[in-house]
Amino acid sequence: MAAGIGLSKSRAGKTELNLLSVPQDNWKDVAERLPVQLINSESFLILDGGAKPRRRLLDWAMFHVEHSSLNLLRRFNRALKQRNSLLKTLHTGSRKKALEALLPWDREFSESGTALNIKRQEIATKLDDILQDYLNRLLPYFSFELIYKPGWDVSTSLLSQLESSIDRDLASGTTNFGPHRGDIVIYAGKSIAKETLSRGQSKMFVCSLKLALGKMVSDRYADYGTQYSPVFLLDDLPSELDNRNQELVLHELANLNVQCFITSVDKPKFTKEKLKRDARMFHVEHGKIAEA
């Protein structure tokens, strides 16, 4: 439930965010009450892009499963920023002096980074369990595997990893190992998923993943005893999907405690009956909205 949230933008470009009529300086409190999942053309980056979209996906789930984890993420990002800033200024000095100067931030980076990695690993495991159920129904022709990569060799401590990579870090002016390098590798069968799946299959995988995230958060919010639930925004659902696959996705959405907004360039083939819930359809043309 997203009642009491207001967002406006002036002609001058000033953005104002309100929650229960109280101005907000950031999105934290609003985000807690409005977990949003977007499925659009950019969602393919989860498969086709670099590691950043997949890390963001884990951190989104981590935040909504445990809101206090945002403090840990901010703590780690601050340590990373400070360490990288120091590396850029120390690269011309001696190795010994660099190690001494970096040690306080190395300890903070290691402590927060290790804790962050543990939470991400827990979320990745929970997400994979839920995701496999959706994949069995929506994309049963493949055997999928998600492998979480921490961003360093966890057989050694993160602090030891920083010490052993100091020469490389000083040369590059950046931190080469840690949770900021973490990733999820997605396999379909024995191959990397993006090298195996067609465009339509990729979209079904993305839909399955987003549904799994929605269920994880919806179930967790139910545990909290709150009235909040995820909101799904689906842009041009029919793109890449035939009628049968559209209906499969809609069926799964109808079984979730979520609110959905679905857009389509063409008149959708699905009907209100297929949505299996109260639904309203609108037609937008030349900036005018009319109920269809």
Side-chain angles (χ1 to χ4, degrees):
M1 178 176 166
I5 295 175
L7 178 66
S8 63
K9 195 165 188 175
S10 68
R11 292 181 181 273
K14 182 181 179 181
T15 300
E16 292 185 2
L17 179 66
N18 289 278
L19 175 62
L20 301 175
S21 301
V22 178
Q24 302 294 301
D25 295 327
N26 57 63
W27 281 91
K28 179 181 179 296
D29 290 338
V30 172
E32 287 181 7
R33 293 161 171 80
L34 188 64
V36 176
Q37 275 301 320
L38 173 65
I39 300 176
N40 64 0
S41 59
E42 293 186 2
S43 299
F44 285 99
L45 290 174
I46 293 172
L47 286 173
D48 301 338
K52 191 172 183 179
R54 293 183 287 275
R55 284 197 301 271
R56 283 181 172 176
L57 177 149
L58 281 180
D59 292 341
W60 182 91
M62 185 176 67
F63 168 72
H64 284 290
V65 168
E66 185 179 341
H67 293 150
S68 62
S69 64
L70 179 61
N71 295 328
L72 176 61
L73 185 60
R74 286 173 172 171
R75 179 184 164 195
F76 170 76
N77 285 333
R78 179 170 178 265
L80 173 63
K81 182 179 179 180
Q82 293 294 335
R83 189 175 193 273
N84 284 343
S85 179
L86 272 174
L87 286 169
K88 290 178 173 62
T89 63
L90 294 170
H91 71 281
T92 57
S94 71
R95 188 177 189 275
K96 181 179 179 180
K97 288 184 178 180
L99 283 170
E100 291 174 351
L102 286 167
L103 184 57
W105 286 112
D106 281 2
R107 287 173 174 164
E108 174 68 2
F109 181 97
S110 176
E111 184 177 330
S112 60
T114 300
L116 177 61
N117 175 63
I118 291 171
K119 289 188 177 294
R120 279 182 177 171
Q121 178 70 73
E122 291 173 351
I123 288 295
T125 301
K126 291 178 182 177
L127 178 60
D128 188 36
D129 289 342
I130 299 172
L131 174 60
Q132 293 300 331
D133 288 337
Y134 281 107
L135 290 171
N136 287 338
R137 295 192 294 272
L138 270 63
L139 206 56
Y141 313 110
F142 294 92
S143 174
F144 288 93
E145 184 178 12
L146 273 65
I147 299 178
Y148 172 69
K149 300 289 186 180
W152 82 96
D153 182 0
V154 292
S155 65
T156 183
S157 71
L158 184 50
L159 185 60
S160 296
Q161 179 73 77
L162 294 177
E163 292 172 353
S164 62
S165 65
I166 183 63
D167 292 327
R168 179 177 173 181
D169 289 355
L170 286 169
S172 63
T174 191
T175 305
N176 288 279
F177 299 97
H180 61 297
R181 303 290 189 184
D183 196 3
I184 297 177
V185 182
I186 304 168
Y187 285 91
K190 296 182 179 180
S191 303
I192 300 295
K194 68 178 181 180
E195 299 173 355
T196 301
L197 303 181
S198 67
R199 196 68 172 172
Q201 290 166 341
S202 293
K203 185 161 186 177
M204 288 299 281
F205 177 87
V206 168
C207 288
S208 299
L209 182 59
K210 297 285 188 171
L211 284 162
L213 285 165
K215 179 168 177 54
M216 175 189 288
V217 172
S218 183
D219 289 350
R220 184 56 175 158
Y221 273 43
D223 292 340
Y224 286 154
T226 71
Q227 54 187 329
Y228 312 126
S229 62
V231 174
F232 273 73
L233 307 179
L234 290 82
D235 180 39
D236 199 13
L237 177 64
S239 175
E240 315 289 354
L241 300 183
D242 58 23
N243 291 342
R244 178 180 177 278
N245 281 328
Q246 290 177 51
E247 290 183 14
L248 285 172
V249 172
L250 291 172
H251 175 77
E252 297 296 344
L253 280 169
N255 289 331
L256 275 178
N257 179 32
V258 298
Q259 185 178 18
C260 303
F261 294 87
I262 306 171
T263 64
S264 176
V265 176
D266 301 313
K267 187 174 182 178
K269 298 290 193 302
F270 49 83
T271 64
K272 295 180 183 180
E273 290 73 25
K274 289 180 179 178
L275 292 173
K276 296 182 178 180
R277 60 168 62 189
D278 293 336
R280 298 176 69 182
M281 293 190 181
F282 298 88
H283 179 67
V284 182
E285 187 173 5
H286 303 304
K288 295 183 179 180
I289 302 175
E291 190 162 2

